[in-house]
Amino acid sequence: MTEVKHHISDDFLIGYAAGSLPAAFDLVVATHVSLSDDARARLHAFDAVGGCILDEMDEAPLAQDSLSKTLSLINENAASEAASPQNQTRPEDGIFPAPLRDMIGCDLADVKWRPIGMGCKQAIISEGKDATARLLFIPAGQAMPRHTHRGTEMTLVLQGAYRDETDRFGRGDIEIGDETMNHTPVAEAGEDCICLIATDARLKFEGLLPRIAQTFLRI
Ligand code: ZN
């Protein structure tokens, strides 16, 4: 089982449960959830809370024990959901967990990559008005250009690992970048790094060449 160290925040999980995230972010959250027992248990708890709130809205006044009933239901659901085999990604599934594979209809070998320089490649999965989802391939040991963000950048590692000014991110880990964060992700030596990324705005590169190139690359 993947050992996830950097988990999605409750805010994004609640947004996912409520169906209020752009499709590109939904895809990254669903893929992360399939790799993380922790995220899966929390998501199920939020689903249960949402269901209970709707149920209770019909009953006025609230029963005295409704809170304790709700909490015990959440705990039961979270435990059974985390243990449920159909919600877990198995090693034989390849590097693309089911939500991603279902979306793009293929696994790694059939991805239509486009080179973006320095040996890096990308494949845009979905491009909407509000957000874009893409796969990014960074060769082992290669650094990405230093950049900050005009909005939210949600990165999920699928293969290998990278490091930046914040920490190390390996398979299953999520990193959130925003306007306050400036970073230079560097793929670890030894294995090429493949990430699934959702963004709702263009990145902001420091160097001139990446700034020129980004117009063509839609990054
Ligand atoms: Zn970034």
Side-chain angles (χ1 to χ4, degrees):
M1 190 64 204
T2 308
E3 198 198 332
V4 178
K5 295 199 176 67
H6 297 277
H7 300 276
I8 191 80
S9 69
D10 284 347
D11 285 352
F12 279 113
L13 271 184
I14 290 169
Y16 175 75
S20 60
L21 297 181
F25 287 87
D26 266 348
L27 175 64
V28 182
V29 174
T31 306
H32 171 69
V33 163
S34 77
L35 292 168
S36 162
D37 290 342
D38 169 88
R40 194 159 49 249
R42 282 187 293 135
L43 174 63
H44 207 67
F46 293 134
D47 280 340
V49 170
C52 287
I53 289 170
L54 292 176
D55 287 347
E56 298 289 355
M57 281 163 75
D58 293 336
E59 295 176 22
L62 284 183
Q64 289 233 316
D65 59 350
S66 63
L67 177 62
S68 61
K69 272 188 188 163
T70 304
L71 290 175
S72 65
L73 182 65
I74 288 169
N75 286 334
E76 280 168 28
N77 282 340
S80 66
E81 181 74 3
S84 168
Q86 71 266 27
N87 291 317
Q88 294 171 5
T89 294
R90 300 158 301 175
E92 63 269 28
D93 288 341
I95 80 148
F96 288 178
L100 175 60
R101 222 176 36 245
D102 291 349
M103 172 78 185
I104 61 178
C106 67
D107 211 318
L108 179 58
D110 300 311
V111 172
K112 307 234 176 327
W113 296 105
R114 292 190 60 187
I116 57 173
M118 302 176 301
C120 300
K121 299 181 279 188
Q122 73 167 355
I124 293 178
I125 297 171
S126 69
E127 211 172 13
K129 268 206 312 282
D130 47 4
T132 299
R134 73 186 75 230
L135 286 164
L136 181 65
F137 176 103
I138 316 170
Q142 177 65 50
M144 292 299 292
R146 184 171 175 78
H147 65 271
T148 184
H149 318 85
R150 292 185 170 90
T152 303
E153 175 193 63
M154 181 185 280
T155 303
L156 169 67
V157 179
L158 298 171
Q159 177 187 289
Y162 73 86
R163 288 177 187 273
D164 65 8
E165 289 78 349
T166 316
D167 207 342
R168 175 188 186 274
F169 297 85
R171 178 167 164 86
D173 285 334
I174 283 263
E175 182 176 34
I176 303 294
D178 61 19
E179 296 91 336
T180 65
M181 181 208 223
N182 224 308
H183 67 159
T184 309
V186 183
E188 263 187 5
E191 189 174 18
D192 299 328
C193 184
I194 296 174
C195 300
L196 173 64
I197 301 172
T199 47
D200 58 9
R202 295 266 166 126
L203 304 184
K204 211 166 158 181
F205 292 100
E206 285 188 357
L208 177 61
L209 277 177
R211 286 212 302 276
I212 294 170
Q214 82 174 133
T215 310
F216 301 100
L217 302 173
R218 289 133 70 195
I219 290 177

